[in-house]
Amino acid sequence: MPPDTGLPSEPLSGAPSDPTGESFSILDSASPESVQPPASSTVQSLFGLSFEQLSGLVTHFDEPGFRARQLAQALYRDWHPDLDAITTLPVALREKLVAEGYTIGLPPILKTFRSVDGTERYLIGASGNQTVETVWMPDGDGAEDPDADDNAPARRRATICVSSQIGCAVNCQFCLTAKLGIERNLTAGEIAGQVVAVLRRHQVELGRDRINLVFMGMGEPFLNYDAFMDAVRLLVTEVGLPASRMTVSTSGIVPGIERFAREPVRPHLAISLNASNNTVREAVMPITRKWSIEAVIEAARKVPLAPREKITFEYVLLGGVNDSLVDADEVVSLARRAGFPSKVNLIVWNPGPSIPYHQPAPEDVERFQQRLIARGVPAFIRRPRGRDIYAACGQLKRTTEAAP
Ligand code: SAH
Ligand code: SF4
């Protein structure tokens, strides 16, 4: 296994867009299309730049266009940690890049926590001495179902859970990440960089290993829409991970879902439903007051689905709050009214310090699932992964001690 680092000691750069706060107004911010050479005192990461941006950069250095392809190969396919290692580039160009303050800027894995179940949680460096959390789950995340798009034999299977923001502004009452509040958005390079750092650590062979990505770590991806989608495009076109093996989860940011519906290349969509009606949902997810379940479903109807594609409803089961058979029946009728092909992923609530909920009894979880299935709604129970290292859903809060 390669070492975790080999990585720039400089802080990563790239101006993040403003954190959203409570206004949810970030959705229209534009991402920069051109690369300005950095002032000599600043450090500029190459990692995160699109092929077009790399092309602009090599033009700036009066280099032939094919150098952009070599740079993209080095950054996104070979996962080189530093400029010196890119021997395909002439030494003079590497020196010019360094002189102008460029660094590769692949985010470093600063700390690794390993669960008894093989799950790993990482604290990955981000600019401003911040860290962001990413999770590696060998053998998938337990939410796989027979409709998964690929049954081909694979050497290794794993799911990487990726963060989109540091903290989160959405304030779901059952989620530990919410306790952080929003610190800032991640840049496209910081989002895609989590994936590449983890692929590199595990010496993944794309093409032979089957890697799924879930944008379900810290943060609300649709409140950092541009950087999130820029990262997706980088991961698809440059890193070579198919969008069909990616899923993004949203708490129900309607303008984000509407934009997402117009994307030509996009991950699968998951919606955190977490309650069977607006009254309960408002209590557990106050954002429901802004966008009701019906508004979220109406937006999701606009997403054109591929044959056999389904939209996932995620449903965190909170004991005594949303886990009754009446709730199950309401979920069935919501799924029917939605009208699009869907399935439900049931997630048993993962506890966190000072979060006042209870886990449902195992038999209630089973009963809930069976009720959905009996009434024609495909339902899967997501196996909790890495609870002992605070790596499970909703537990990402940069906790450095072990779970009690
Ligand atoms: N912000 C996005 C994606 C990250 S959260 C969203 O909310 O969809 C990923 C999933 O974890 C969501 O479905 C969320 O409802 C769930 N979750 C949050 N806290 C949890 C907890 N304590 N136990 C189990 N699932 C939780
Ligand atoms: Fe944010 Fe998702 Fe946690 Fe809600 S569940 S606070 S949207 S990370």
Side-chain angles (χ1 to χ4, degrees):
M1 195 174 282
D4 280 347
T5 57
L7 310 147
S9 51
E10 307 89 335
L12 306 175
S13 78
S17 18
D18 290 331
T20 53
E22 296 298 321
S23 66
F24 307 108
S25 60
I26 196 78
L27 294 155
D28 298 323
S29 71
S31 54
E33 282 306 320
S34 61
V35 178
Q36 296 301 318
S40 55
S41 61
T42 62
V43 174
Q44 167 94 356
S45 296
L46 294 170
F47 197 97
L49 299 183
S50 66
F51 180 69
E52 292 68 34
Q53 290 172 318
L54 291 173
S55 299
L57 191 65
V58 300
T59 306
H60 162 76
F61 282 110
D62 289 327
E63 291 283 337
F66 67 85
R67 297 276 179 232
R69 188 39 67 207
Q70 289 176 319
L71 262 174
Q73 170 78 30
L75 294 170
Y76 301 123
R77 299 281 171 150
D78 301 338
W79 310 331
H80 280 312
D82 59 66
L83 276 166
D84 282 345
I86 313 181
T87 49
T88 48
L89 295 182
V91 176
L93 175 56
R94 282 182 261 158
E95 285 174 353
K96 269 192 275 181
L97 284 165
V98 172
E100 290 215 19
Y102 285 98
T103 177
I104 288 205
L106 178 63
I109 295 180
L110 299 176
K111 208 162 172 46
T112 299
F113 304 85
R114 194 155 210 279
S115 163
V116 288
D117 67 19
T119 299
E120 290 186 346
R121 177 169 68 98
Y122 312 104
L123 297 189
I124 296 188
S127 69
N129 279 332
Q130 296 266 31
T131 54
V132 55
E133 303 211 3
T134 312
V135 179
W136 162 268
M137 292 171 279
D139 306 318
D141 64 356
E144 295 187 22
D145 66 67
D147 294 331
D149 65 325
D150 186 342
N151 294 316
R155 190 179 70 117
R156 228 175 0 168
R157 288 164 189 248
T159 297
I160 303 174
C161 180
V162 185
S163 294
S164 54
Q165 298 181 305
I166 301 184
C168 186
V170 180
N171 198 24
C172 303
Q173 300 296 297
F174 48 80
C175 173
L176 206 50
T177 307
K179 302 278 175 205
L180 288 173
I182 178 73
E183 293 192 12
R184 70 167 172 87
N185 281 332
L186 294 175
T187 63
E190 287 170 333
I191 297 172
Q194 295 168 60
V195 177
V196 168
V198 174
L199 294 175
R200 183 169 178 274
R201 169 179 168 79
H202 289 277
Q203 293 187 301
V204 166
E205 286 179 48
L206 294 176
R208 281 187 74 196
D209 298 334
R210 202 188 83 167
I211 304 298
N212 294 311
L213 298 187
V214 293
F215 295 93
M216 299 188 186
M218 277 184 168
E220 168 49 61
F222 285 1
L223 287 179
N224 184 17
Y225 190 91
D226 291 304
F228 156 67
M229 276 308 299
D230 282 348
V232 166
R233 284 185 281 270
L234 264 186
L235 290 165
V236 172
T237 59
E238 300 304 335
V239 178
L241 289 160
S244 60
R245 289 197 196 140
M246 301 179 187
T247 303
V248 60
S249 173
T250 179
S251 55
I253 308 296
V254 164
I257 299 172
E258 287 172 343
R259 279 184 80 180
F260 188 74
R262 299 192 292 272
E263 297 289 351
V265 176
R266 55 158 181 83
H268 298 299
L269 180 64
I271 293 168
S272 296
L273 183 60
N274 296 343
S276 61
N277 59 61
N278 284 314
T279 310
V280 176
R281 199 169 188 269
E282 275 181 27
V284 297
M285 298 179 73
I287 198 171
T288 309
R289 284 194 290 256
K290 188 161 179 91
W291 292 298
S292 66
I293 295 176
E294 290 70 30
V296 171
I297 286 179
E298 195 182 318
R301 274 194 203 109
K302 297 179 183 155
V303 178
L305 299 180
R308 296 179 68 236
E309 185 178 3
K310 292 187 170 87
I311 291 180
T312 302
F313 288 115
E314 290 167 284
Y315 197 95
V316 178
L317 285 162
L318 304 162
V321 173
N322 64 1
D323 62 343
S324 71
L325 286 181
V326 175
D327 291 308
D329 289 343
E330 280 187 332
V331 171
V332 169
S333 79
L334 275 175
R336 285 186 188 150
R337 270 185 284 137
F340 46 72
S342 66
K343 63 177 179 187
V344 174
N345 271 353
L346 298 170
I347 313 171
V348 174
W349 177 67
N350 296 306
S354 53
I355 304 194
Y357 289 104
H358 303 285
Q359 291 189 311
E363 56 274 20
D364 291 343
V365 175
E366 182 84 2
R367 216 171 42 137
F368 199 98
Q369 179 194 27
Q370 290 314 320
R371 184 70 155 229
L372 296 184
I373 292 172
R375 307 213 158 170
V377 176
F380 303 87
I381 300 174
R382 201 131 138 216
R383 187 158 49 108
R385 303 294 305 268
R387 263 191 199 154
D388 54 333
I389 54 159
Y390 284 106
C393 294
Q395 292 192 312
L396 302 186
K397 200 203 165 194
R398 294 182 299 197
T399 315
T400 47
E401 67 273 20

